[in-house]
Amino acid sequence: GEHENRVALGTKDNFGWKEFTYKGIGQLSRKVARFIIEELDIKKGEKAAILSESKPEFGVSVLGSVISGMITVPLDIKLTIYELTSILTDCQPTVMLVSQTYIEKALELQKAVPSIKHIIVMDKQPVSNGLQSLYTIPNNYTCKFRHRSKNSRMFIIYTSGTTGNPKGVETTFGN
């Protein structure tokens, strides 16, 4: 469309200002979705946890998760390993998207929560432990959008209630 070359999201890094156009975000999101569906063989309704500070790739990860038919579980970076382990044990995600900042934490969580089969890093460089990143997965954008009804779950958001452990609040597309 007419907006595809407009800047949608931007962020400042050590090298200056990095901008993403709508087209760029769309392509990166489809690339992630295709990788999740075809290379990781993830089924509709499986869960993707996201552990990252706020950045354009966070949006890309959410969109990729939605396109691939997954239920997205955004995690609060301020939580302890213990709290995150409790949440992840509860929701059993298969995929975890993580920023470079939290790779060590993600690897630790993967050891504690066996459901996490795949970790995808949300940054260009550096990526450790032979992990795939949004930028190293194949540049293939042909991906079928996995449609779901408005009653399907889109997010599970864990809220820190006043008492006890965080509870997962399910949000549908209709919400």
Side-chain angles (χ1 to χ4, degrees), residues 113-138:
V113 185
S115 72
I116 304 170
K117 295 190 180 69
H118 311 284
I119 291 177
I120 302 171
V121 183
M122 295 159 61
D123 294 83
K124 267 197 167 112
Q125 355 293 18
V127 177
S128 64
N129 304 27
L131 294 172
Q132 289 277 23
S133 102
L134 298 187
Y135 298 96
T136 60
I137 60 179

Short mmCIF file of all heavy atoms in Angstrom, two decimals, residues 113-138:
data_model
loop_
_atom_site.label_atom_id
_atom_site.label_comp_id
_atom_site.label_asym_id
_atom_site.label_seq_id
_atom_site.Cartn_x
_atom_site.Cartn_y
_atom_site.Cartn_z
N VAL A 113 12.25 -25.54 32.34
CA VAL A 113 10.91 -25.75 31.76
C VAL A 113 11.06 -26.54 30.45
O VAL A 113 11.31 -25.96 29.40
CB VAL A 113 10.20 -24.39 31.50
CG1 VAL A 113 8.78 -24.62 31.01
CG2 VAL A 113 10.21 -23.52 32.75
N PRO A 114 10.88 -27.87 30.53
CA PRO A 114 11.15 -28.73 29.36
C PRO A 114 10.27 -28.46 28.14
O PRO A 114 10.64 -28.84 27.03
CB PRO A 114 10.89 -30.15 29.89
CG PRO A 114 10.78 -30.03 31.37
CD PRO A 114 10.50 -28.61 31.72
N SER A 115 9.13 -27.78 28.31
CA SER A 115 8.27 -27.52 27.14
C SER A 115 8.94 -26.59 26.14
O SER A 115 8.62 -26.60 24.96
CB SER A 115 6.93 -26.92 27.57
OG SER A 115 7.10 -25.58 28.00
N ILE A 116 9.90 -25.75 26.60
CA ILE A 116 10.57 -24.78 25.71
C ILE A 116 11.57 -25.51 24.82
O ILE A 116 12.68 -25.83 25.23
CB ILE A 116 11.28 -23.66 26.52
CG1 ILE A 116 10.29 -22.95 27.45
CG2 ILE A 116 11.94 -22.66 25.56
CD1 ILE A 116 10.95 -22.01 28.45
N LYS A 117 11.15 -25.79 23.57
CA LYS A 117 11.99 -26.56 22.64
C LYS A 117 12.86 -25.66 21.79
O LYS A 117 13.92 -26.06 21.33
CB LYS A 117 11.11 -27.42 21.74
CG LYS A 117 10.32 -28.50 22.47
CD LYS A 117 9.67 -29.45 21.47
CE LYS A 117 8.88 -30.55 22.14
NZ LYS A 117 7.67 -30.05 22.82
N HIS A 118 12.41 -24.44 21.54
CA HIS A 118 13.13 -23.56 20.61
C HIS A 118 13.29 -22.17 21.20
O HIS A 118 12.34 -21.61 21.73
CB HIS A 118 12.37 -23.44 19.29
CG HIS A 118 11.94 -24.75 18.72
ND1 HIS A 118 12.80 -25.61 18.08
CD2 HIS A 118 10.73 -25.36 18.73
CE1 HIS A 118 12.14 -26.69 17.70
NE2 HIS A 118 10.87 -26.57 18.08
N ILE A 119 14.51 -21.62 21.07
CA ILE A 119 14.75 -20.24 21.46
C ILE A 119 15.15 -19.48 20.20
O ILE A 119 16.03 -19.93 19.45
CB ILE A 119 15.86 -20.14 22.53
CG1 ILE A 119 15.37 -20.74 23.86
CG2 ILE A 119 16.29 -18.68 22.73
CD1 ILE A 119 16.41 -20.75 24.96
N ILE A 120 14.49 -18.36 19.95
CA ILE A 120 14.83 -17.51 18.80
C ILE A 120 15.25 -16.15 19.37
O ILE A 120 14.52 -15.55 20.17
CB ILE A 120 13.63 -17.33 17.84
CG1 ILE A 120 13.14 -18.68 17.33
CG2 ILE A 120 14.03 -16.43 16.66
CD1 ILE A 120 11.83 -18.61 16.53
N VAL A 121 16.42 -15.67 18.96
CA VAL A 121 16.94 -14.40 19.46
C VAL A 121 16.41 -13.26 18.60
O VAL A 121 16.30 -13.40 17.38
CB VAL A 121 18.49 -14.42 19.47
CG1 VAL A 121 19.04 -13.14 20.07
CG2 VAL A 121 18.98 -15.64 20.26
N MET A 122 16.10 -12.13 19.24
CA MET A 122 15.46 -11.03 18.56
C MET A 122 16.43 -9.94 18.10
O MET A 122 16.04 -8.82 17.86
CB MET A 122 14.40 -10.40 19.49
CG MET A 122 13.27 -11.37 19.80
SD MET A 122 12.36 -10.95 21.31
CE MET A 122 11.73 -9.33 20.94
N ASP A 123 17.72 -10.26 18.01
CA ASP A 123 18.72 -9.26 17.64
C ASP A 123 19.59 -9.75 16.50
O ASP A 123 19.67 -10.95 16.25
CB ASP A 123 19.62 -8.95 18.84
CG ASP A 123 18.86 -8.28 19.95
OD1 ASP A 123 18.22 -9.00 20.74
OD2 ASP A 123 18.89 -7.05 20.02
N LYS A 124 20.29 -8.80 15.85
CA LYS A 124 21.21 -9.14 14.76
C LYS A 124 22.47 -9.79 15.31
O LYS A 124 22.77 -10.91 15.02
CB LYS A 124 21.58 -7.88 13.98
CG LYS A 124 20.69 -7.65 12.78
CD LYS A 124 21.33 -6.66 11.80
CE LYS A 124 20.61 -6.67 10.49
NZ LYS A 124 19.89 -5.44 10.19
N GLN A 125 23.26 -9.04 16.07
CA GLN A 125 24.49 -9.58 16.64
C GLN A 125 24.58 -9.18 18.10
O GLN A 125 23.96 -8.24 18.49
CB GLN A 125 25.79 -9.06 16.02
CG GLN A 125 25.91 -8.18 14.87
CD GLN A 125 25.48 -8.75 13.59
OE1 GLN A 125 24.82 -9.67 13.63
NE2 GLN A 125 25.75 -8.26 12.47
N PRO A 126 25.43 -9.85 18.86
CA PRO A 126 25.91 -11.20 18.58
C PRO A 126 24.87 -12.20 19.09
O PRO A 126 24.10 -11.86 19.97
CB PRO A 126 27.20 -11.27 19.41
CG PRO A 126 26.95 -10.35 20.55
CD PRO A 126 25.98 -9.29 20.08
N VAL A 127 24.87 -13.38 18.52
CA VAL A 127 23.96 -14.42 18.99
C VAL A 127 24.83 -15.58 19.46
O VAL A 127 25.78 -15.95 18.79
CB VAL A 127 23.01 -14.86 17.86
CG1 VAL A 127 22.12 -15.99 18.31
CG2 VAL A 127 22.16 -13.68 17.40
N SER A 128 24.52 -16.13 20.63
CA SER A 128 25.40 -17.17 21.18
C SER A 128 24.81 -18.56 21.03
O SER A 128 23.65 -18.72 20.65
CB SER A 128 25.64 -16.88 22.66
OG SER A 128 24.42 -16.99 23.36
N ASN A 129 25.61 -19.54 21.37
CA ASN A 129 25.19 -20.95 21.49
C ASN A 129 24.53 -21.51 20.24
O ASN A 129 23.65 -22.37 20.32
CB ASN A 129 24.20 -21.13 22.66
CG ASN A 129 24.77 -20.62 23.97
OD1 ASN A 129 25.63 -19.74 23.98
ND2 ASN A 129 24.35 -21.18 25.07
N GLY A 130 24.91 -20.99 19.07
CA GLY A 130 24.33 -21.51 17.83
C GLY A 130 22.83 -21.31 17.72
O GLY A 130 22.15 -22.02 16.99
N LEU A 131 22.29 -20.34 18.46
CA LEU A 131 20.85 -20.08 18.40
C LEU A 131 20.51 -19.33 17.11
O LEU A 131 21.32 -18.59 16.58
CB LEU A 131 20.41 -19.22 19.59
CG LEU A 131 20.53 -19.86 20.98
CD1 LEU A 131 20.26 -18.82 22.06
CD2 LEU A 131 19.58 -21.03 21.12
N GLN A 132 19.29 -19.54 16.63
CA GLN A 132 18.79 -18.80 15.47
C GLN A 132 18.33 -17.42 15.92
O GLN A 132 17.93 -17.24 17.07
CB GLN A 132 17.60 -19.53 14.86
CG GLN A 132 17.96 -20.82 14.16
CD GLN A 132 18.44 -20.56 12.72
OE1 GLN A 132 18.89 -19.49 12.37
NE2 GLN A 132 18.34 -21.58 11.90
N SER A 133 18.38 -16.45 15.01
CA SER A 133 17.82 -15.14 15.33
C SER A 133 16.85 -14.72 14.23
O SER A 133 16.82 -15.33 13.16
CB SER A 133 18.96 -14.12 15.48
OG SER A 133 19.06 -13.31 14.34
N LEU A 134 16.08 -13.67 14.52
CA LEU A 134 15.15 -13.14 13.51
C LEU A 134 15.87 -12.84 12.21
O LEU A 134 15.29 -12.85 11.15
CB LEU A 134 14.52 -11.83 13.99
CG LEU A 134 13.66 -11.82 15.26
CD1 LEU A 134 13.02 -10.46 15.45
CD2 LEU A 134 12.61 -12.90 15.21
N TYR A 135 17.17 -12.55 12.33
CA TYR A 135 17.94 -12.12 11.16
C TYR A 135 18.73 -13.25 10.50
O TYR A 135 19.20 -13.10 9.39
CB TYR A 135 18.88 -10.97 11.57
CG TYR A 135 18.11 -9.76 12.05
CD1 TYR A 135 17.88 -9.54 13.40
CD2 TYR A 135 17.59 -8.84 11.14
CE1 TYR A 135 17.16 -8.44 13.83
CE2 TYR A 135 16.85 -7.74 11.57
CZ TYR A 135 16.65 -7.54 12.91
OH TYR A 135 15.92 -6.45 13.34
N THR A 136 18.89 -14.39 11.18
CA THR A 136 19.67 -15.49 10.58
C THR A 136 18.77 -16.58 9.98
O THR A 136 19.23 -17.40 9.22
CB THR A 136 20.61 -16.15 11.61
OG1 THR A 136 19.84 -16.68 12.70
CG2 THR A 136 21.64 -15.16 12.14
N ILE A 137 17.48 -16.58 10.34
CA ILE A 137 16.57 -17.57 9.75
C ILE A 137 16.40 -17.25 8.26
O ILE A 137 16.60 -16.12 7.84
CB ILE A 137 15.21 -17.64 10.49
CG1 ILE A 137 14.48 -16.30 10.46
CG2 ILE A 137 15.40 -18.14 11.90
CD1 ILE A 137 13.12 -16.31 11.14
N PRO A 138 16.03 -18.26 7.46
CA PRO A 138 15.98 -18.05 6.00
C PRO A 138 15.04 -16.92 5.59
O PRO A 138 13.98 -16.73 6.19
CB PRO A 138 15.45 -19.39 5.47
CG PRO A 138 15.74 -20.38 6.55
CD PRO A 138 15.70 -19.63 7.84
#
